[in-house]
Amino acid sequence: MRRTLAPVSDLQSKTRYEPADAEPRIMERWLDAGIGAGEAAPGEPAYAIAIPPPNVTGALHMGHALNGSIQDVLIRYHRMLGERTEWILGTDHAGIATQTQVEKRLVTEGTSREAIGREAFVERVWDWRGEFGGTIIGQFKRLGASADYDRERFTLDADYHQAVLKVFVDLFDQGLIYRDNYMVNWDPGSRSAISDLEVEDREVTDTLYSIAYPLADGSGEIVVATVRPETMLADTAVAVNPSDERFAHLIGQTVILPLVGRELPVIGDDYVKTDFGTGCLKITPGHDPNDFEIGRRHGLDELSAIGEDGLMTGLVPEYAGLTVAQAQERVVAALRDQGLIRAAEPYLHTVPFSHRSGERIEPLISLQWFMAMDELAAPAIAAVRDGRVRIHPESQSRRYIDWLENIRPWCISRQLWWGHRIPVWYRDGETYVGLQAPDGAGWEQDPDVLDTWFSSALWPFATLGWPDETPMLRTFYPTAVLSTARDILFLWVARMVMMGLRFAGDVPFRDVYVHSVIQAPDGRRMSKSLGTGIDPLELIAGGPRPPVFAEGGDFPAYGADAVRFGLLAMSSSQDVRFSEEKVHQGRALANKLFNATRFVLSRVPEGARPDPRPQTVEDRWILSRLQQVVGDARRRIDAFEFAPLALGLYDFVYGDLCDWYLELVKGREFDDDLSATLLYVLRETLALAHPVIPFVTEELWAALPGGGDAAPLLATAAYPVADRARRDPDAEARIADVIATVTAVRAWRNEAGVRPGLVLPARLLADGYGQTASLVARIARIDLEAGAAGAQDAAVVLPVPGGTVELLAGDAVDPEEQARKREARRAELQAEIARAEGKLANAGFIAKAPPELVAAERDKLDRLHADLAAL
RNA sequence: GGGCGGUUAGCUCAGCUGGUCAGAGCGCCUGCCUUACAAGCAGGAGGUCCCCGGUUCGAGCCCGGGACUGCCCACCA
């Protein structure tokens, strides 16, 4: 394996970590080493994650970056635990989205899909995929994602296609896939049916027309309300509620449909609300989902006034070929001429629009392929109910179950050319369903393709070689975790569970982690079209701040580590606003580790090797702290708590390691023991942080003497183990006192305006500082020997844990300021004493609170009194 | 119309099973280029934890009600 030596010279000369230089070089090393390549070994402990496949022509957005960071933390962690890992990577052919892009390209070339024909078009899409399909994969690499790039999958790969066909044919044979005329969401934009889940509701102000339909016997009229008057051409009934006293007597009569002259029965149906509109409902089974249901209940004709091209059909010849809008205008004008419009008022309501094309959905009846879902949903519900699949956070389970319990048939055919073509052939009246075209001449294959989600539903097992019982499948299925945003819980996650259980014999994953959605800094949805999007790559490499930021200018090149850290630190189970500060914090952490490493390496002697050899209380302290942090990190990764994970690492590195431990050891000789301990702590810290900030830790690992002894790459080294035996409560208490005392002295010096470099004579009159007094003295810049020798009275008395510090400050002290400070402190202590006394005077507290709490409160009170007396 | 979540320092957010929990980062103020780091260090100011009740010895944390806000689901013409 190629071993790029760490640029040790950089460590000596630079004071800042430069991610832009290091990260691409380090990614190369990982790729060369093949850290992402999962090796099959059926029966051995394995850990796999199937990435939610991004659209093949897509670009990395914030959601990908966050999810990629999460999955990479999990994968790297489990890799370092020594498990076989496989992060299944690949792209989705994304039927409508991709086809639309290529169609647009064709238009710019002055041609069209129809002009070049199906075969040539599909070829063009493949070309397009070849040209742009690699983009997002490269972007995942830039993020540091340690996925299995050698086995990149695509949902239209030949073997994947075979899996899709097999599932279709099997479900057909089992009677779960069927063809039917049914109401679908027709998207005039893509000229295809789309699923309920691809529909979004928008508020629209339409006109609500009240239209009079005369009774056939001339005895009166029925007034119906509608926002779609043009659909009246396809009306086949008028409905009233049978319990509505105003209209019930009309049931069984007929009305004359204006403009058309058709006689419509008046029917009774409970669906009609008596307190809404006019209480009478025109029934158009061909163009309204509810009317369709009512029509089926009553055996009504299903007429189509609007065609799949979005234009009026020849149902009523004089309207044929008009757009819907034109037809509406004409219908209304004609009705007005005849004096049949009883009212027309603005009406605000929600209307379905296509998520894909943005056009208004036209519900219409169409011959489509459907999948019956009830039989598939039941086991998928059970899997979550009984915990074989755990959804995090738990509250999402309910949404999942609710949705599956109310599931309806899934329209799986799409009128597109790009996708898995439906394996059904027709000849005269015959239908053939099979993996291959039937023998014989004259067969025509169904022109439609399958909904993209049909193939995505097979992702966790089709990518591992199913239906063949491959070693990869046997090793890595079921996968461990599926990480995703909420929005595809139904669209994708639920369907994977159904298909996995049905075809692969087990759930597709054990845990589903639903991560947050990161919104723009102003709280709006991140979106390219709104101008609220933030490109993660521009955060990594630097680039102009989008307009959503209050301040302009360019992002600095934060680097991938910083972006990963930032995204993880800002994420939670709820939606959060993007916070550049967290990315900034991530960069600061990387830089801090870089400089801490510089410091250690510049001091430790040649030949030192990592090894915990605690000589002093501060050594025992940092080792103890490390155990705590290792335990925390492991627990947090296991629990998908990524923000506390990232922020906990930051706190340890900044707080414990750099602010205190490194400062505490500066006065010591860097002998072999100290050096070994320092290197050990540093090495463990790098390993600990590696899943979150892999680049900088890998870079520094290579520079550590003995780093490569354990493993040539940190990415494949062992994750730290929390060793309970190294927990050291005594050392923790001693150093906690040191920190409190040093902080108190510093605070006083700052307030009193003592020159920072000045070392003050002082006395430390407190218990518990036997080994640590000299540490306090050096860091707080006080001279205890001079203090002991000094005859002058104490100028300043600072209360510290265990006693006081007396500062013999002479000229450096402002007596008035000192008196004021002491008074403030006295007030503070008295307030705390009052609070503690109040608590202890409460009989209920003494009687009912846990005894150790009461005792602690008493101790606290004693201490407060002592501190007050010492003032 | 249902369901779920949120409301904690100027901003973005942590606060586990109720008892040093009033926190972090950024911003702000003061002082420091202290031989790892000025992308730094030290210190500091700043909060009626949305409102009203309740449970409890004790409540950001539990319960009830309310206000505001976000998201999801749903076929009201």
Side-chain angles (χ1 to χ4, degrees):
Chain A
M1 186 196 69
R2 200 176 77 190
R3 175 81 190 270
T4 311
L5 287 175
V8 175
S9 59
D10 282 4
L11 281 174
Q12 286 162 358
S13 63
K14 289 188 185 165
T15 60
R16 287 183 192 175
Y17 172 62
E18 302 281 358
D21 297 343
E23 290 179 349
R25 172 165 44 78
I26 295 164
M27 190 71 208
E28 278 302 308
R29 290 180 58 200
W30 289 331
L31 291 173
D32 287 350
I35 65 167
E39 282 176 39
E44 289 192 19
Y47 186 92
I49 294 177
I51 197 173
N55 287 2
V56 63
T57 59
L60 195 78
H61 62 233
M62 209 50 83
H64 297 129
L66 171 60
N67 203 189
S69 302
I70 289 169
Q71 293 167 85
D72 201 42
V73 166
L74 294 171
I75 281 287
R76 284 183 185 274
Y77 171 63
H78 283 273
R79 182 181 297 124
M80 291 176 79
L81 291 181
E83 298 170 25
R84 288 172 186 280
T85 54
E86 167 71 5
W87 185 1
I88 300 165
L89 178 83
T91 52
D92 191 292
H93 67 280
I96 295 177
T98 309
Q99 173 156 334
T100 304
Q101 286 198 42
V102 177
E103 282 187 47
K104 278 185 191 155
R105 160 70 76 88
L106 290 178
V107 168
T108 67
E109 293 173 8
T111 179
S112 72
R113 163 165 77 101
E114 291 78 5
I116 66 174
R118 181 165 192 151
E119 206 173 315
F121 178 76
V122 170
E123 208 162 297
R124 281 298 302 264
V125 187
W126 278 104
D127 291 347
W128 174 274
R129 185 240 173 187
E131 197 174 339
F132 299 105
T135 305
I136 195 158
I137 299 298
Q139 293 172 328
F140 271 102
K141 282 183 187 165
R142 187 64 193 82
L143 189 67
S146 59
D148 191 350
Y149 295 95
D150 295 337
R151 288 201 193 83
E152 183 186 329
R153 284 78 160 183
F154 183 48
T155 54
L156 273 181
D157 284 339
D159 49 353
Y160 201 107
H161 181 59
Q162 288 308 309
V164 170
L165 296 186
K166 177 172 167 50
V167 167
F168 184 97
V169 172
D170 284 0
L171 288 173
F172 179 85
D173 289 344
Q174 293 158 14
L176 295 181
I177 283 181
Y178 56 93
R179 201 177 189 213
D180 193 11
N181 267 304
Y182 210 80
M183 170 101 356
V184 297
N185 299 303
W186 187 263
D187 174 10
S190 61
R191 292 213 179 170
S192 174
I194 62 175
S195 79
D196 288 345
L197 296 169
E198 291 166 309
V199 170
E200 64 181 25
D201 287 327
R202 293 189 204 161
E203 286 215 321
V204 169
T205 301
D206 280 324
T207 305
L208 180 65
Y209 295 96
S210 296
I211 304 169
Y213 287 14
L215 286 162
D217 63 7
S219 65
E221 62 184 32
I222 289 180
V223 178
V224 299
T226 181
V227 292
R228 300 288 312 274
E230 68 280 11
T231 64
M232 70 178 286
L233 304 178
D235 282 2
T236 53
V238 169
V240 300
N241 193 307
S243 66
D244 189 337
E245 291 170 7
R246 297 170 299 172
F247 306 115
H249 65 281
L250 297 172
I251 295 170
Q253 296 204 37
T254 55
V255 297
I256 306 294
L257 180 62
L259 310 186
V260 181
R262 192 161 56 237
E263 292 202 6
L264 310 179
V266 179
I267 60 175
D269 196 291
D270 288 338
Y271 170 77
V272 183
K273 304 279 185 292
T274 57
D275 57 352
F276 191 85
T278 62
C280 303
L281 185 59
K282 72 192 259 310
I283 302 298
T284 320
H287 296 294
D288 182 280
N290 305 310
D291 294 7
F292 178 80
E293 298 289 338
I294 295 169
R296 291 251 158 141
R297 279 203 287 277
H298 295 269
L300 300 175
D301 285 345
E302 294 164 359
L303 304 178
S304 292
I306 301 166
E308 296 185 346
D309 54 7
L311 302 177
M312 303 303 288
T313 64
L315 177 66
V316 179
E318 55 178 306
Y319 295 92
L322 296 180
T323 67
V324 169
Q326 289 167 336
Q328 177 173 122
E329 219 169 286
R330 289 247 208 125
V331 165
V332 170
L335 289 170
R336 197 159 264 144
D337 284 349
Q338 298 182 24
L340 294 173
I341 303 272
R342 292 286 174 270
E345 52 204 36
Y347 182 67
L348 181 68
H349 65 149
T350 58
V351 175
F353 281 79
S354 165
H355 207 74
R356 295 292 175 193
S357 70
E359 292 208 21
R360 192 162 166 164
I361 293 299
E362 199 60 69
L364 47 79
I365 293 171
S366 172
L367 184 59
Q368 302 283 349
W369 287 96
F370 290 88
M371 191 189 295
M373 301 303 285
D374 292 341
E375 190 180 325
L376 293 163
I381 293 170
V384 167
R385 280 240 169 87
D386 64 25
R388 274 173 295 147
V389 173
R390 295 176 293 265
I391 301 180
H392 315 265
E394 229 272 302
S395 60
Q396 298 297 326
S397 300
R398 182 150 164 217
R399 289 182 60 223
Y400 168 97
I401 290 170
D402 283 352
W403 185 77
L404 282 173
E405 284 181 337
N406 297 304
I407 199 163
R408 301 199 298 189
W410 175 16
C411 175
I412 53 173
S413 45
R414 294 290 181 274
Q415 289 64 54
L416 303 172
W417 287 351
W418 176 242
H420 295 278
R421 192 160 173 181
I422 292 180
V424 177
W425 287 260
Y426 310 102
R427 184 171 68 182
D428 303 327
E430 289 180 89
T431 297
Y432 174 85
V433 178
L435 297 173
Q436 275 147 12
D439 296 331
W443 289 98
E444 284 285 333
Q445 187 173 4
D446 193 299
D448 292 352
V449 301
L450 290 165
D451 181 4
T452 301
W453 297 107
F454 186 100
S455 53
S456 317
L458 319 183
W459 182 251
F461 52 92
T463 48
L464 292 172
W466 185 91
D468 296 333
E469 275 286 316
T470 62
M472 285 297 281
L473 185 69
R474 286 193 290 139
T475 305
F476 293 111
Y477 192 90
T479 66
V481 177
L482 189 280
S483 176
T484 178
R486 268 190 306 277
D487 53 353
I488 54 175
L489 194 61
F490 309 143
L491 219 43
W492 188 47
V493 176
R495 287 168 178 169
M496 281 191 287
V497 177
M498 290 189 269
M499 292 300 166
L501 286 168
R502 184 88 178 188
F503 290 98
D506 200 348
V507 295
F509 27 70
R510 306 287 183 204
D511 291 281
V512 175
Y513 175 64
V514 180
H515 67 245
S516 54
V517 172
I518 298 182
Q519 300 167 330
D522 61 3
R524 286 187 290 169
R525 185 171 283 286
M526 268 202 202
S527 137
K528 227 180 230 173
S529 54
L530 286 174
T532 52
I534 299 169
D535 183 346
L537 294 166
E538 296 199 330
L539 281 172
I540 292 174
R545 277 193 185 74
V548 273
F549 283 89
E551 51 195 282
D554 282 7
F555 290 126
Y558 282 115
D561 283 332
V563 171
R564 294 166 60 115
F565 177 96
L567 294 178
L568 292 170
M570 72 182 86
S571 79
S572 79
S573 57
Q574 64 172 82
D575 293 354
V576 291
R577 297 185 182 198
F578 178 82
S579 152
E580 188 178 341
E581 288 75 20
K582 288 288 189 292
V583 179
H584 192 270
Q585 200 178 345
R587 182 177 64 159
L589 175 60
N591 190 237
K592 198 70 173 174
L593 281 172
F594 177 81
N595 277 298
T597 303
R598 267 171 25 101
F599 170 69
V600 171
L601 293 186
S602 70
R603 300 294 179 92
V604 300
E606 200 74 24
R609 285 290 178 273
D611 188 23
R613 294 187 219 160
Q615 298 296 301
T616 65
V617 62
E618 70 267 23
D619 294 342
R620 289 190 284 123
W621 173 77
I622 193 67
L623 291 169
S624 180
R625 294 297 310 141
L626 185 61
Q627 305 320 308
Q628 170 79 40
V629 173
V630 167
D632 286 349
R634 285 175 165 253
R635 206 172 320 107
R636 286 164 174 165
I637 297 174
D638 290 340
F640 307 109
E641 293 172 356
F642 300 104
L645 169 70
L647 295 170
L649 291 171
Y650 179 94
D651 284 345
F652 175 72
V653 170
Y654 262 74
D656 295 334
L657 183 59
C658 293
D659 288 349
W660 292 106
Y661 185 63
L662 295 186
E663 293 303 324
L664 288 172
V665 300
K666 273 182 182 174
R668 286 165 64 184
E669 184 198 344
F670 279 57
D671 60 16
D672 287 349
D673 288 338
L674 174 57
S675 298
T677 301
L678 267 172
L679 288 173
Y680 172 81
V681 170
L682 186 55
R683 190 185 72 182
E684 292 290 289
T685 303
L686 294 178
L688 185 69
H690 182 261
V692 174
I693 44 173
F695 287 107
V696 68
T697 49
E698 186 71 79
E699 175 83 340
L700 297 174
W701 173 269
L704 286 193
D709 294 352
L713 283 171
L714 175 53
T716 54
Y719 202 72
V721 176
D723 181 356
R724 275 190 158 313
R726 291 230 175 79
R727 293 302 295 275
D728 193 330
D730 176 63
E732 299 240 10
R734 294 284 65 77
I735 298 298
D737 285 356
V738 168
I739 289 172
T741 299
V742 169
T743 303
V745 174
R746 281 172 173 170
W748 175 81
R749 292 178 60 119
N750 249 304
E751 301 272 310
V754 177
R755 187 162 56 78
L758 187 64
V759 176
L760 297 177
R763 285 194 280 264
L764 178 55
L765 304 175
D767 297 330
Y769 294 82
Q771 304 168 64
T772 55
S774 62
L775 293 176
V776 171
R778 192 172 48 75
I779 301 196
R781 299 196 181 219
I782 54 180
D783 186 337
L784 296 176
E785 286 173 22
Q792 71 249 70
D793 289 337
V796 179
V797 178
L798 295 178
V800 297
T804 59
V805 169
E806 295 182 358
L807 292 159
L808 315 179
D811 299 348
V813 180
D814 173 350
E816 278 181 38
E817 173 65 16
Q818 188 45 38
R820 200 188 57 73
K821 280 218 53 152
R822 196 179 304 190
E823 204 37 60
R825 172 66 183 161
R826 191 188 310 279
E828 198 180 308
L829 284 171
Q830 282 167 344
E832 283 195 56
I833 285 169
R835 191 162 43 210
E837 282 176 342
K839 226 172 176 179
L840 289 168
N842 183 334
F845 178 71
I846 303 290
K848 298 191 179 176
E852 60 272 21
L853 258 170
V854 178
E857 201 61 34
R858 290 217 167 91
D859 288 351
K860 181 182 175 183
L861 186 59
D862 290 346
R863 223 169 44 239
L864 289 169
H865 277 301
D867 286 352
L868 186 63
L871 258 185

